[in-house]
Amino acid sequence: MKRNKLLYLLGLLLFFGCEDRLEIDPWQSKDDELVFTSVNTMENALTGAYDALQDDDTYGSNVVQSADLKSQFVRWTGSFTSYTEISGKNLTTSNAEARDLWIDGYDGINRANRVIDAVDAGVDDPLFESVKDRIKGEALFVRAILYFELVRNFGLPYSEENVGKPGVPLILKGTLALSDARELPTRNTIAEVYAQIIKDLKDAKGLLPATPALEGRAFKSTCDAFLVRIYMTMRNWNEVVTFADFVINSNLFALDKDPTSTFGEAFTPEMIFGVIHTTTDNLGNTNAALNDYYNPNERGDIFIPQSTLDLFPSGDKRLGWFFTQEEKVWVNKYMEAKYNTPVIRYAEILLAKGEALLELGAPVDDVLSFLNQIRDRAGLGVLIGLTSDQVVDSLRLETLREFVAEGHSVYDLQRWKQEVGFSNDRAETVPWNDPSLVFPIPQRERDVNPNLEQNEGY
Amino acid sequence: MKRIVMLFVVLCFIGLQAGIAQMKSVTGTVTSADDGLGMPGVSVVVKGTTTGTSTDIDGRFSIMASSTDVIVFSFVGMKQQEITVGDQTVINVVMQSETVGMEEVVVVAYGTQKKRDLTSSVANVKAEDLDKMSVVSFENAISGQTAGVQVSTGSRAGEANTIRIRGTSSVSASSQPLYVIDGVPQGDYIMGYTGNNTQISPLSSMNPADIESVQVLKDASASALYGSRASNGVVLITTKTGRKGATKISVDYSLGFQRETDFMDVLNGSEFTELFNEAYFNTFGVEKILGEPEDAINTDWLDAATRTGVVSNFNVSASGGNEKTTFYAGFSHQDEEGYTKGNNFKRITIRTNLEHLISEYVKFGINLSLSKTVNDRSSNNNSVSSVSTSGVLQYPNIPIFGDGSDLFGEEGTFYLGNGINPFNNIAYNLLNEIDQNIHEAVTVRPTVNGFAEIKILDDLKFKTDLSYDYVDLYEKIFFGVNSGDGGGSNGVSQALTFKRDNIVTTSVLTYSKVFKEDHNFDALLGYSYEQTTRNEANVTGQDFPDNSLYTINSAAEISGGGSSITKYSLESYFSRFRYNYQQKYLFEFSIRRDGSSRFGKDERYAVFPAFSAGWIASDEDFMEKYGWLSLAKLRLSYGITGNAEFLSSTTNPNATGANFPSRGLYGTGANYNGNPGLSPTQLQNPGLKWEQTRQFDIGLNLGFLDDRIAFEVDYYIKKTKDLLLSVRLPSTSGYTEFADNVGKLENKGFEFGLNTRNLVGDFKWSTSFNLSFNRNEITDLEGQIVSNGISQAREGEPIGVFYTVPFAGVDPDTGEALFYDLDGNKTTTYSDEFRRVVGDPNPDYTGGITNNFSYKGIDLSVLIQFVQGNDIYWDAGRFAGNSQSLQFNNVKSQLGRWQKPGDITNIPKAELFNGPNRSHSSRFIQDGSFVRIKNITLGYTLPKKVAKQMYLNNVRVYVTAQNWFTFTDYDGHDPEVSSNGTVNVGQGRDFFQAPPSKRFVFGVKIDL
């Protein structure tokens, strides 16, 4: 009988449940309200914003790769429909790269906005005062450069006739509640977006330290360098010179002696801003890193055509960027997943200043002093005594050579208002401001937000 | 209580005393009415005592009994007989087979019930129907056998199958039924490492031979006692138990072989050369780029990478017991070679089910099982190293091995290049991949389920059980140093572990009583608590010395790793009342209250009631004149069930239930340059609650001519509301979606079942036929569209319709593909604006027909399964059935391409890289209807006398041909597709899914 009684007891015990049995918290996540409670977790959220830059749909890979596929200096042979469409300049509104740049770009902007909002709201932590400016400055920087990639991919190139045309919606507040998320914004004009980017970068510069808090983080000069790039896009030559001088006079940067040493796992003195990849960020077989596409030992979808090689004279040290395998020529800037993505190199600042001086009508020798730094480093002879027309050609050629396969060329051609070619075997070209060079507003977004106007040509 | 027990003891003692006085020996023989032969192992017991014996090999017995005693003769599958001893000293008994049909007892939620008394819709599959099928996992055996149940078989051994009971009743939550094994709900419908593309069915670790019966609870009344997880139906699996009597030992061995049911018919080297030359000319204007077709190399990659796989299965079981203790023990060993080289499945299972009566009032039992599965998995369908993909896409004009030439390299080494082809085709040399790569998954799964049942009063019982189910899965994945996927990193190796434990405890109090003979009443009150924990860990390394050293310790670099934990719990109270008057008017009411950790405090609990009633009209006096009508029963039921299995993704085939869907979360993993990062991953929705399904069912059972003809029909309407949906948000918010309860959908349909015994006597013939029609419609989505590629859930349409650009054939003048624009005009322009609903993956009807014949010892069974009226989106066709995409090898049908003006064809001119046209269009929609002869089994049972001479009870030899014939117009590998796993939006899309196998098996089954 004793045993029976025990069983009763056991059974009866099981009848009494309690609420606690249903209280389970996640292990890999934190509730929203617990994140901005200390400086430590706020720093984690800021790191999360940089992580958005490293995403393969933004600076992790597509900011470079999609831009490269828009012009004639690389060749695409892969099977992914999305890239094939970019290469053929016949994107559909469901193109996955366009869609993902939009989604992941705004994801990063929200990550930055949440940090900015949290700094503005303040945190009850004794460390807060000493870090709040830097944290906010870094978040503003992240937001600015993501808006820059969005506006130049989804909007027409910046020009007098285009500035009033639609850019992208400007969202400057973080999303916390469902009601915020369900708002349906419209597209701000290209001018408005550029104005915000410039404001953010200038604000960020004011808040940031002169040297990075951690490797790969924003500081004053990264803001200056991005402002150079943005004013170049706007053809605002005076401002280019101003901000290029800030970068040059900081004395923090120099051209690498060996141009092939710039690309890899470590930042060299030439790298003003790059996106850092560790081995775990993009595994080799996930189709998500630049090396998957540019390295013939991986997918090997993007190679360098003879016409691009022909741009380089023999003896140019930059020919060390290329190698031949399987009867094709490849670029070695992205050999492994852990190579950093170069975003702004010092070479760009020098060439930008040269170009700005040229446009401002400065003496040819002043322009050449910047161009020749690049030529000299490449092991090419310095140029002297050129006409200003010859300097234009030399400067443009040097720019195309210097940034081959770094996602620059389409934007350079657009700035020069030159025709843009194809990265497949088609020999035709399209005008610099052709709508086919602009991504469509993703179908997905227009399905959920009818306020978003579609781009021309889609 | 104590007093009552004492009273019993005293009474028994008195009875015993009285008995001893007038004992005599009673002997006799028990024979079977079927063949007149003596039956061994029949239990012979004096009623109300523990005195008992069982018959010997010839059916003889001897027992001590008094003349007032009643002797009970019982045997599995035979009608129990009770004979009063009287003055007899010799009692010969002829045992009759138990009439199958309405008297049988079926397992229902938390109990059993006579089939006759059922007021709900329950389908029953018995062990003997499962036994015929040569399958790894029992779900594969039930397709075509029950009305209202549709099974799409996962193509590789052990893979999760898609099962739909009465249609798909959710958009973004799971639509897989709840499995309950011996009363223990199985929380998972798929399992395995989250990052992996193809997951494993939790049922694949179970030996089908251990299963006694499978009940499918289809309507709300049958399933509502499982409350929040019952919307998709419930599958109750009962394992075998022992019966008192002589120990029965049974051995079953089978050996056979398997092949794929079918592969696409691909171009050979010459045909490819011809088409490619033409495509290259049409695209680039250069002729004969690959030379003359007749000079081409011919490699059949599909053939080279496949084989005739040997399958074997060994089962031994023992069962038996005495008055107090019964047991069943089973052991099995299954060894299958897949038809794909390198794909193998091995499983060992052991099960012991034990029951013991401590006293007349207390019973306890324990079910123990252990299984180990070793699965050499083949690559995922979307992987280029998969045979069903690369076997089709790879250039047929390159060799497998080098031949010593400059072009193809050293003899005997795998050739990895493109040969003379000008483009790098992404397909791999499959033989190299098979040689280089390893993908082994080892699952060890012990389960323990212990219970105690206490008879508090004669009518009042209490049962409590505790079950623990542990799954340990370890996967080793290695892409070799010279493989396509791992070559770039000098070999990539992954080690993955997945551990899941599930604790369930249930306590049930049942009361049943007959009042005044006519009022049958029973009631149940229960409580249960479940908790499921999943632990995962993985590590990835790269750069290996060679392929023999592939564990992570040999990696030069650890390139990735992680671990995670997640958990959820469910707490429930439930109750059921049944009442019937004269077993003629039947009523049932049940209710369950579930609380889940998955929802926020406000919406944590929900109540699920159900009601049903039945009327057995044939028992009414006024029906007596219709003697030919043996049964007429009308059933009605209505109930509410729920679904909380909100999937973490609508598109990921391996999405599991999201455990924290209502919270606003920052997730880990947003790291940058080695610094830990957090990022917003989920938007909060504190109002998130359960999905709710209301189902009405009306059914009629008819039996004619003493149930020789049994007919069953059901009509149901199943309305689901508050669908758990990932509602799309403008991404400008930083979020793409959030979890909400949005919209409604509806399934309604008819189910027919007809079982007839056409011929009885020496030559027996019986037929069982089932047919189901289900219509699914999404009635409201509040304007949302849920997309998974071209599959969509849209208002006013059935779930998962194909939404893409309509193809309008080929321009006879130019050979260009044409599409319909919005006005219905043909145009060469391809635009997403033209998209519309162009196909529906849901079948018009499904069903099956089984014919069983037997004559003397020979038996033959034929099962035909059919699915009619569903569309398949042949996603693989965009690559391999596309004359405009000849950078890949294509199927033979593309030879019919347009060649010159005036050609009338639906296949455009041969081209390369024709981007927009390779994009989706209705050109790749095909009729997915098929008829499959699922199973033919021919058996011969040796005459008992012959068996006895061999000192055996029973010997049966059999041959089974499974999936041997399939009739379909579908161009892909096989029409039974589930490329997108068990997701709801995405069914019927086939991206190179590996076809199921067909097999031929010889076997022998011996009862010792």
Side-chain angles (χ1 to χ4, degrees), chain A residues 14 17 19 21 23-25 28-30 32 44 51 79 93-94 106 114 175 276 279-280 338 444-445, chain B residues 527 557 559 565 569 571 597 604-605 663-664 666 668 671-672 676-678 729 731 733 735-736 832 918:
Chain A
L14 292 172
E19 284 285 300
R21 293 184 167 186
E23 289 296 332
I24 294 172
D25 284 318
Q28 283 76 239
S29 305
K30 227 174 170 54
D32 275 342
N44 295 151
D51 176 61
S79 63
T93 55
S94 56
Y106 275 106
R114 293 278 282 268
T175 306
I276 298 177
T279 333
T280 50
K338 61 189 174 189
R444 181 203 172 281
E445 297 307 320
Chain B
Y527 167 82
E557 186 171 330
S559 49
I565 306 171
S569 60
E571 187 175 40
S597 67
R604 184 159 279 172
Y605 294 93
R663 303 194 189 195
Y666 258 75
T668 55
N671 309 326
Y672 187 67
L678 293 170
L729 287 167
S731 318
S733 66
Y735 296 96
T736 53
D832 285 347
R918 206 181 71 198

Side-chain angles (χ1 to χ4, degrees), chain B residues 618-644:
Chain B
S618 47
D619 281 4
E620 298 287 356
D621 294 344
F622 62 82
M623 293 295 282
E624 255 173 36
K625 54 190 163 192
Y626 308 107
W628 44 269
L629 186 70
S630 43
L631 176 79
K633 180 164 88 168
L634 184 69
R635 293 179 276 110
L636 276 174
S637 79
Y638 180 78
I640 300 174
T641 52
N643 191 348

Side-chain angles (χ1 to χ4, degrees), chain A residues 131-143:
Chain A
V131 296
K132 65 174 191 185
D133 285 353
R134 176 184 54 77
I135 291 178
K136 184 172 176 180
E138 290 191 46
L140 284 168
F141 169 81
V142 168
R143 180 168 87 183

Side-chain angles (χ1 to χ4, degrees), chain B residues 772-785:
Chain B
S772 341
F773 298 82
N774 185 68
R775 291 291 173 272
N776 177 291
E777 190 191 334
I778 296 170
T779 43
D780 178 15
L781 272 186
E782 294 182 15
Q784 291 283 319
I785 294 169

Side-chain angles (χ1 to χ4, degrees), chain B residues 361-379:
Chain B
Y361 317 108
V362 182
K363 180 162 92 173
F364 82 90
I366 187 158
N367 294 355
L368 282 167
S369 76
L370 178 69
S371 75
K372 180 182 180 187
T373 305
V374 180
N375 196 350
D376 295 318
R377 301 177 72 177
S378 50
S379 294

Side-chain angles (χ1 to χ4, degrees), chain B residues 359-528:
Chain B
S359 72
E360 215 170 324
Y361 317 108
V362 182
K363 180 162 92 173
F364 82 90
I366 187 158
N367 294 355
L368 282 167
S369 76
L370 178 69
S371 75
K372 180 182 180 187
T373 305
V374 180
N375 196 350
D376 295 318
R377 301 177 72 177
S378 50
S379 294
N380 299 316
N381 298 322
N382 64 351
S383 155
V384 262
S385 54
S386 160
V387 169
S388 55
T389 310
S390 266
V392 175
L393 296 178
Q394 181 60 285
Y395 292 122
N397 62 341
I398 55 172
I400 298 169
F401 295 104
D403 58 359
S405 69
D406 284 349
L407 180 58
F408 297 126
E410 218 176 297
E411 242 174 284
T413 61
F414 291 111
Y415 175 65
L416 304 179
N418 305 322
I420 54 170
N421 300 291
F423 302 108
N424 175 25
N425 172 324
I426 52 156
Y428 291 147
N429 182 326
L430 285 169
L431 282 298
N432 179 56
E433 294 306 302
I434 291 163
D435 182 60
Q436 289 280 320
N437 299 342
I438 294 167
H439 187 165
E440 186 186 74
V442 180
T443 312
V444 178
R445 184 179 190 191
T447 62
V448 187
N449 175 17
F451 71 88
E453 193 178 290
I454 301 156
K455 206 190 259 183
I456 300 170
L457 297 168
D458 260 2
D459 306 320
L460 185 66
K461 272 193 227 163
F462 175 71
K463 186 180 175 187
T464 182
D465 67 35
L466 179 68
S467 113
Y468 180 71
D469 179 358
Y470 182 68
V471 174
D472 183 322
L473 170 68
Y474 179 67
E475 288 194 70
K476 285 184 289 196
I477 303 173
F478 180 61
F479 300 104
V481 297
N482 293 315
S483 69
D485 283 328
S489 307
N490 265 317
V492 173
S493 183
Q494 279 183 289
L496 312 172
T497 69
F498 166 89
K499 292 174 200 290
R500 189 282 262 133
D501 75 34
N502 189 23
I503 296 171
V504 183
T505 172
T506 311
S507 296
V508 177
L509 198 60
T510 50
Y511 177 76
S512 64
K513 179 106 181 150
V514 181
F515 295 100
K516 295 181 182 163
E517 290 199 5
D518 290 333
H519 303 274
N520 301 289
F521 181 78
D522 72 78
L524 172 153
L525 190 65
Y527 167 82
S528 84

Side-chain angles (χ1 to χ4, degrees), chain B residues 58-92:
Chain B
D58 298 316
R60 284 191 293 265
F61 70 94
S62 165
I63 193 167
M64 296 299 286
S66 70
S67 54
T68 55
D69 279 341
V70 174
I71 301 179
V72 181
F73 297 86
S74 59
F75 192 80
V76 185
M78 296 286 183
K79 265 187 194 156
Q80 181 169 304
Q81 295 203 31
E82 297 186 2
I83 291 166
T84 311
V85 177
D87 352 325
Q88 304 174 82
T89 50
V90 175
I91 298 177
N92 292 324

